[in-house]
Amino acid sequence: MDQIKINLSEDQIPRQWYNLAADFKTPVKPPLGPDGNPISPDMLSKVFPMNIIEQEVSTERWIDIPEEILEMLYRWRPAPLRRAIYLEKHLKTPAKIYYKDESLSPAGSHKPNTAVAQAWYNKQFGIKKLTTETGAGQWGSALSFACSLVGLECTVFMVRISFDQKPFRKTLMRVWGGNCIPSPSDQTAAGRQILSENPDTPGSLGIAISEAIEMAVSDTTGETRYSLGSVLNHVMLHQTIIGLEAKKQLEIVGEKKVDVVIGCAGGGSNFAGLSFPFVNDKIHGAKIDIIGVEPTACPTLTRGAYAYDHGDIAQMTPLLAMHTLGHKFIPAPIHAGGLRYHGMAPLVSHAVCEGLIRPKAYDQITCYKAAQTWARTEGFVCAPETSHAIAGAIDEALKAKEECKEKVILFNYSGHGLMDLLGYEKFLNEELSDYSLPDDVLNKSLESIKDFPKL
Amino acid sequence: MDQIKINLSEDQIPRQWYNLAADFKTPVKPPLGPDGNPISPDMLSKVFPMNIIEQEVSTERWIDIPEEILEMLYRWRPAPLRRAIYLEKHLKTPAKIYYKDESLSPAGSHKPNTAVAQAWYNKQFGIKKLTTETGAGQWGSALSFACSLVGLECTVFMVRISFDQKPFRKTLMRVWGGNCIPSPSDQTAAGRQILSENPDTPGSLGIAISEAIEMAVSDTTGETRYSLGSVLNHVMLHQTIIGLEAKKQLEIVGEKKVDVVIGCAGGGSNFAGLSFPFVNDKIHGAKIDIIGVEPTACPTLTRGAYAYDHGDIAQMTPLLAMHTLGHKFIPAPIHAGGLRYHGMAPLVSHAVCEGLIRPKAYDQITCYKAAQTWARTEGFVCAPETSHAIAGAIDEALKAKEECKEKVILFNYSGHGLMDLLGYEKFLNEELSDYSLPDDVLNKSLESIKDFPKL
């Protein structure tokens, strides 16, 4: 029979991360400060420790993974590459569908790959406490887990509506010692102001980011920093271990060529993690279709502007050169909370502009149908975010069937859905909307960036 | 570094199950019918298909696993054997702690090992629909999953209080096409009677079993059968793939001898699955301490009678020779729902009587402390049931430290706890009781079996 699980042993783990910034034809545009000039590393030093800032601005192609970080990653890495033979049979496709299983980490997604790295670098730099925000809860869980390993305090601002709807995400963080606070909260000036204006606000990721950054930069001991789970260059870097492992595993099963690489894209990190090593191959001549899949409710890459914009609603972050729907954009309440972000990692955006990545959007009902097909064939229940990648893989496998081509398709199984079953319940009850973004809403949202520096 | 994950490839999967009934010094006592005489296979034929009944009564040592069942198991098997090096370091123990990771199945526990086998045999026999009961929801999820693979209808009676407290267990079953009904229900005579007497009853596993059996045997088409997730001989049989894989994996890492084998024991299936192949070694002279860990709230093996008793409160099952707290026993509401059963698998009970297995009991607060230590060292969040095995493993590792012995400890990581976080929340809030069973309650409960045939 065909091999289904392709494992690597611990001593086969990649020992360097891959930095795509080294290989672009044109350099990535730098982040800009409030004065419209490129920011210096120093300007970020109250937010991030300097060793992470160095990674953020690095254009070195390969960056060593410290041994102590590898020793944390061994809990679940190398992660298996798996072949979806049951789905292939169901689709009657000649394509081979491989997926990288990132659902096996303690927190259930790819997020811990960067969480343990960030926690470790902060610890090395003498930091005692990290703050962050979380929407659906995946990132807050991952950072709580990572902080427990290295011995850092961790405070997570969780968007209040998610905090209330998903009480067990908070419990998961608490098991690892994380302190999860519904946002807006009375712990920051930003939170207090919003609460005074609107005590019943459901909160938003933008508000939570503002609170987390404020708590970090206002700690007068200088021992607190902020941590972000996506978008930034160093986060993409840490996630490339996914694609680097996958390349070794494909080699082991004798796949000399991959035709299609797919990931879902919210802030961009799981997609970048799998795809960047293949983007590198593509830059060097390989013919690969690299597809970033996003929701039609939040179509950053397919319909957003490529422009300078802030990463948060309160405009506390630098201006980033990226695809954006406008920093004030509030996405419809789709269940794939991790894909509800107005912006995109600058490295992913740049790769799209250079024609290396092809974005594609699906509505959430199509994605839940794909998730159900997955559960009834492969057996596993995927995260709502991951269902977008599966929808993409199914379409590509059916295309291969039409074309009678034995293509090799690889996608990122970014997380399981066992803590996100509410969306499945609504899908099964036929209570879901598809929430595709109307043109007028998009155009209005993009007005918020019209006065920013142009690309 | 030491190897942490010991994987087997698909072609190394065991191809036979091991039947401990073949190796006992004294034969296991047969189940008795209502007349006090041993039941014949025919008497069970309205409840189970004949191919499963044949396995139930078999004393063949090795039973071939059909290729089509293996093809279903490959979705998650062979399962990794893992070494808990992070826990070892934390405990500063010279012992090596290995665990078999059964949490990676689609339903998140060891239950699908027998669910897919039972579904397949029923399908082979021409059955169209399976009924079952579920308490915490693990078994109902596993059988729904298995039925979706082979194409059977599946109806699960779920104890009402769990149904209400864990709404997403029902969703998980629905994703796989299972029909989950809160019990008692109006779909059976047994359910209607109980509802008429007590409309607000929280339900019980005993009632749910009665409803599931009634629905199966009263289907006049003869196309419905009942399926049980633990206790019975054929269930233990199907689970032995766990221990058989573990033996191969220990051999791969050069462990010639295992000193301690541990599993949590509710109905006995995950414990039997890991331990029976080692019980066989012990029968043939190996010196192994084989420990079944149960809750002090439901101390079937440590404090129950070894006697004939029914498996359910409504006395619909035959009388089984087993350790029991009395079929009317209602365990305290500990969070390890899978360990809240008054009886024990007859094969496990028999092995205890022959001195092959040593039972041990822990209270739930001790177990949650062990679970938290596990989460903060190994990283993963275990099921409340599994925490009992971890508590046992920690104690044995500390004993090895006292004795300065480099023991090899193996335990079964029977499931993850991501859908059971309520207990962790209460533990962290210091709201848990330990619920050890008082003597007077036990003595009163055992009165219900005083008129049954003696062993």
Side-chain angles (χ1 to χ4, degrees):
Chain A
M1 63 166 294
D2 292 311
Q3 198 176 343
I4 297 178
K5 293 178 282 293
I6 302 108
N7 291 303
L8 296 176
S9 60
E10 282 88 15
D11 57 13
Q12 291 174 300
I13 203 167
R15 298 188 160 266
Q16 295 182 307
W17 291 301
Y18 168 65
N19 184 5
L20 179 59
D23 284 307
F24 281 127
K25 261 179 281 180
T26 58
V28 179
K29 298 283 195 311
L32 306 181
D35 59 358
N37 291 320
I39 52 164
S40 67
D42 272 358
M43 294 167 75
L44 290 172
S45 65
K46 286 188 82 173
V47 181
F48 299 111
M50 198 51 75
N51 48 8
I52 283 186
I53 295 171
E54 281 163 16
Q55 286 192 344
E56 182 64 20
V57 300
S58 170
T59 51
E60 286 293 307
R61 181 170 292 113
W62 295 101
I63 295 178
D64 288 343
I65 308 177
E67 192 61 37
E68 289 181 37
I69 291 178
L70 288 174
E71 276 172 24
M72 290 191 277
L73 292 172
Y74 290 144
R75 283 178 175 79
W76 71 100
R77 305 209 76 86
L81 178 75
R82 296 171 55 109
R83 179 148 165 221
I85 58 161
Y86 307 97
L87 178 64
E88 289 172 16
K89 275 184 201 154
H90 171 76
L91 298 174
K92 299 187 175 69
T93 177
K96 291 192 260 185
I97 306 173
Y98 292 93
Y99 66 100
K100 190 70 179 157
D101 193 351
E102 293 296 313
S103 75
L104 303 180
S105 75
S109 78
H110 66 292
K111 292 288 186 191
N113 296 331
T114 184
V116 297
Q118 292 190 47
W120 187 83
Y121 283 113
N122 274 281
K123 180 82 176 178
Q124 288 292 303
F125 198 71
I127 299 306
K128 298 276 175 24
K129 174 175 168 178
L130 286 179
T131 66
T132 196
E133 74 292 327
T134 199
Q138 285 281 13
W139 171 243
S141 308
L143 195 66
S144 297
F145 157 68
C147 285
S148 88
L149 297 188
V150 302
L152 287 178
E153 262 189 81
C154 182
T155 294
V156 179
F157 290 90
M158 184 166 183
V159 177
R160 174 171 283 283
I161 188 167
S162 300
F163 184 92
D164 292 340
Q165 284 176 348
K166 301 186 177 188
F168 294 127
R169 276 285 175 191
K170 173 196 66 180
T171 308
L172 191 57
M173 296 179 219
R174 287 186 73 193
V175 169
W176 288 311
N179 177 24
C180 179
I181 299 170
S183 165
S185 76
D186 61 4
Q187 313 244 332
T188 66
R192 285 188 295 271
Q193 162 136 17
I194 288 159
L195 283 175
S196 73
E197 289 163 7
N198 185 358
D200 298 324
T201 174
S204 75
L205 211 48
I207 298 168
I209 294 177
S210 302
E211 286 201 271
I213 296 179
E214 181 188 325
M215 180 177 269
V217 301
S218 62
D219 176 0
T220 52
T221 68
E223 292 179 342
T224 303
R225 291 293 182 279
Y226 166 74
S227 172
L228 189 64
S230 193
V231 181
L232 298 179
N233 301 349
H234 67 275
V235 181
M236 306 299 123
L237 179 78
H238 300 155
Q239 294 292 359
T240 57
I241 195 167
I242 302 172
L244 294 167
E245 283 181 7
K247 291 187 82 166
K248 288 191 183 197
Q249 289 161 313
L250 287 168
E251 202 175 307
I252 285 172
V253 283
E255 299 295 359
K256 296 208 173 65
K257 187 175 172 345
V258 178
D259 299 289
V260 187
V261 174
I262 301 170
C264 63
S269 77
N270 96 77
F271 172 60
L274 179 68
S275 69
F276 280 6
F278 295 94
V279 171
N280 185 18
D281 291 350
K282 190 164 177 173
I283 289 171
H284 294 91
K287 204 182 148 194
I288 313 176
D289 191 10
I290 300 175
I291 308 172
V293 182
E294 60 186 13
T296 53
C298 191
T300 315
L301 287 172
T302 48
R303 293 172 61 203
Y306 183 53
Y308 268 115
D309 195 6
H310 293 287
D312 68 320
I313 198 165
Q315 308 193 22
M316 293 188 74
T317 73
L319 286 164
L320 301 170
M322 62 182 179
H323 287 81
T324 178
L325 300 166
H327 59 273
K328 291 184 180 154
F329 180 71
I330 307 282
I334 55 166
H335 285 276
L339 306 183
R340 295 178 68 243
Y341 185 65
H342 71 277
M344 182 54 64
L347 288 175
V348 171
S349 287
H350 197 79
V352 169
C353 289
E354 292 208 346
L356 297 164
I357 286 170
R358 176 166 73 94
K360 195 168 177 183
Y362 288 93
D363 71 84
Q364 76 170 347
I365 294 174
T366 301
C367 294
Y368 272 105
K369 283 182 186 160
Q372 189 176 36
T373 299
W374 183 258
R376 300 267 177 107
T377 54
E378 292 294 314
F380 294 92
V381 175
C382 71
E385 294 81 4
T386 310
S387 72
H388 291 69
I390 295 173
I394 289 175
D395 269 2
E396 290 300 315
L398 292 174
K399 199 166 92 182
K401 182 178 168 182
E402 268 176 36
E403 297 170 353
C404 293
K405 282 189 185 161
E406 200 188 284
K407 287 188 183 175
V408 174
I409 298 169
L410 169 68
F411 77 90
N412 203 12
Y413 192 77
S414 54
H416 66 65
L418 295 176
M419 295 189 72
D420 300 283
L421 286 165
L422 181 61
Y424 281 93
E425 182 68 24
K426 290 192 174 166
F427 167 70
L428 293 165
N429 295 342
E430 298 183 10
E431 292 166 1
L432 282 189
S433 303
D434 79 5
Y435 284 130
S436 294
L437 178 65
D439 277 330
D440 55 332
V441 177
L442 172 60
N443 292 336
K444 186 143 186 291
S445 178
L446 288 174
E447 281 174 23
S448 70
I449 61 169
K450 69 178 183 330
D451 297 330
F452 292 161
K454 298 286 177 282
L455 281 172
Chain B
M1 64 166 292
D2 293 312
Q3 197 175 343
I4 298 178
K5 294 177 282 291
I6 303 108
N7 291 304
L8 296 176
S9 60
E10 282 88 16
D11 57 14
Q12 292 173 298
I13 202 166
R15 298 187 161 266
Q16 295 182 307
W17 291 301
Y18 167 65
N19 184 6
L20 178 59
D23 284 307
F24 280 127
K25 261 180 282 180
T26 57
V28 179
K29 299 283 196 313
L32 306 181
D35 58 359
N37 292 318
I39 51 164
S40 66
D42 271 357
M43 293 167 75
L44 290 172
S45 66
K46 285 187 83 172
V47 181
F48 299 111
M50 198 51 76
N51 48 8
I52 283 185
I53 295 170
E54 281 163 17
Q55 286 193 342
E56 183 63 21
V57 300
S58 170
T59 52
E60 286 293 309
R61 182 169 292 114
W62 295 101
I63 294 178
D64 289 343
I65 309 177
E67 191 61 38
E68 288 181 40
I69 292 178
L70 288 174
E71 275 172 25
M72 290 191 277
L73 292 172
Y74 290 143
R75 283 177 175 79
W76 71 100
R77 303 208 77 87
L81 179 75
R82 295 171 56 109
R83 178 146 166 224
I85 57 160
Y86 307 98
L87 178 64
E88 290 172 17
K89 275 183 200 155
H90 171 77
L91 299 174
K92 299 187 176 67
T93 177
K96 291 192 261 183
I97 306 174
Y98 292 92
Y99 65 100
K100 190 70 178 155
D101 194 350
E102 293 297 313
S103 74
L104 304 180
S105 74
S109 78
H110 66 291
K111 293 287 186 191
N113 296 331
T114 184
V116 297
Q118 291 190 48
W120 187 83
Y121 283 113
N122 274 281
K123 180 82 177 180
Q124 287 293 305
F125 198 70
I127 300 305
K128 299 275 174 24
K129 173 176 169 177
L130 285 179
T131 66
T132 196
E133 74 291 329
T134 199
Q138 285 282 14
W139 171 244
S141 308
L143 195 67
S144 297
F145 158 69
C147 285
S148 88
L149 296 189
V150 302
L152 287 178
E153 261 189 82
C154 181
T155 294
V156 179
F157 290 91
M158 184 167 184
V159 178
R160 174 172 284 281
I161 188 167
S162 299
F163 184 92
D164 292 341
Q165 284 176 348
K166 302 186 176 189
F168 294 128
R169 277 285 175 191
K170 173 197 65 181
T171 307
L172 191 57
M173 296 180 220
R174 286 186 72 193
V175 169
W176 289 311
N179 177 26
C180 179
I181 300 170
S183 164
S185 76
D186 61 5
Q187 313 244 331
T188 67
R192 285 188 295 271
Q193 164 136 16
I194 287 159
L195 283 175
S196 73
E197 288 163 9
N198 184 359
D200 297 325
T201 175
S204 75
L205 210 48
I207 298 168
I209 293 177
S210 302
E211 286 201 88
I213 296 179
E214 181 188 325
M215 181 177 268
V217 301
S218 63
D219 176 1
T220 52
T221 67
E223 293 179 342
T224 302
R225 290 293 182 281
Y226 167 73
S227 172
L228 189 64
S230 193
V231 180
L232 298 179
N233 300 348
H234 67 275
V235 181
M236 306 299 124
L237 180 78
H238 300 156
Q239 294 291 0
T240 58
I241 195 166
I242 301 172
L244 295 167
E245 283 181 7
K247 292 188 81 167
K248 288 192 183 196
Q249 288 162 313
L250 287 167
E251 202 175 308
I252 285 173
V253 283
E255 301 294 359
K256 297 209 172 65
K257 187 177 172 344
V258 178
D259 299 290
V260 188
V261 173
I262 301 170
C264 63
S269 77
N270 96 78
F271 172 60
L274 179 69
S275 69
F276 280 6
F278 296 94
V279 171
N280 185 19
D281 292 350
K282 191 166 179 172
I283 288 170
H284 293 91
K287 204 181 146 196
I288 313 176
D289 191 10
I290 300 175
I291 308 173
V293 182
E294 60 186 12
T296 53
C298 192
T300 315
L301 287 172
T302 49
R303 293 172 62 202
Y306 183 53
Y308 267 115
D309 195 6
H310 292 286
D312 68 321
I313 198 165
Q315 308 192 23
M316 291 187 75
T317 75
L319 286 164
L320 301 171
M322 63 181 177
H323 286 81
T324 177
L325 300 166
H327 59 274
K328 289 184 181 153
F329 181 71
I330 307 281
I334 54 167
H335 285 277
L339 306 183
R340 295 177 70 242
Y341 184 65
H342 71 277
M344 181 54 64
L347 289 175
V348 171
S349 288
H350 197 77
V352 169
C353 291
E354 293 209 344
L356 298 163
I357 285 170
R358 176 166 74 95
K360 196 169 177 182
Y362 288 94
D363 71 84
Q364 76 170 346
I365 294 174
T366 301
C367 294
Y368 272 105
K369 284 181 186 161
Q372 190 178 35
T373 299
W374 183 258
R376 299 269 178 105
T377 54
E378 291 294 315
F380 294 91
V381 175
C382 71
E385 293 81 4
T386 311
S387 72
H388 290 69
I390 296 173
I394 289 175
D395 269 2
E396 290 300 315
L398 293 174
K399 199 166 90 182
K401 183 178 169 182
E402 268 177 37
E403 297 169 353
C404 293
K405 283 188 184 161
E406 200 187 283
K407 286 187 181 173
V408 173
I409 298 169
L410 168 68
F411 77 89
N412 203 12
Y413 192 77
S414 53
H416 66 65
L418 296 175
M419 296 189 73
D420 301 284
L421 286 165
L422 181 61
Y424 281 93
E425 182 68 23
K426 290 193 174 167
F427 167 71
L428 292 165
N429 295 342
E430 299 184 8
E431 292 166 1
L432 281 189
S433 305
D434 78 5
Y435 285 131
S436 295
L437 178 64
D439 277 330
D440 56 331
V441 177
L442 172 60
N443 293 335
K444 186 145 187 288
S445 178
L446 287 175
E447 280 173 26
S448 71
I449 61 169
K450 69 179 184 329
D451 297 330
F452 292 162
K454 298 284 177 281
L455 282 172

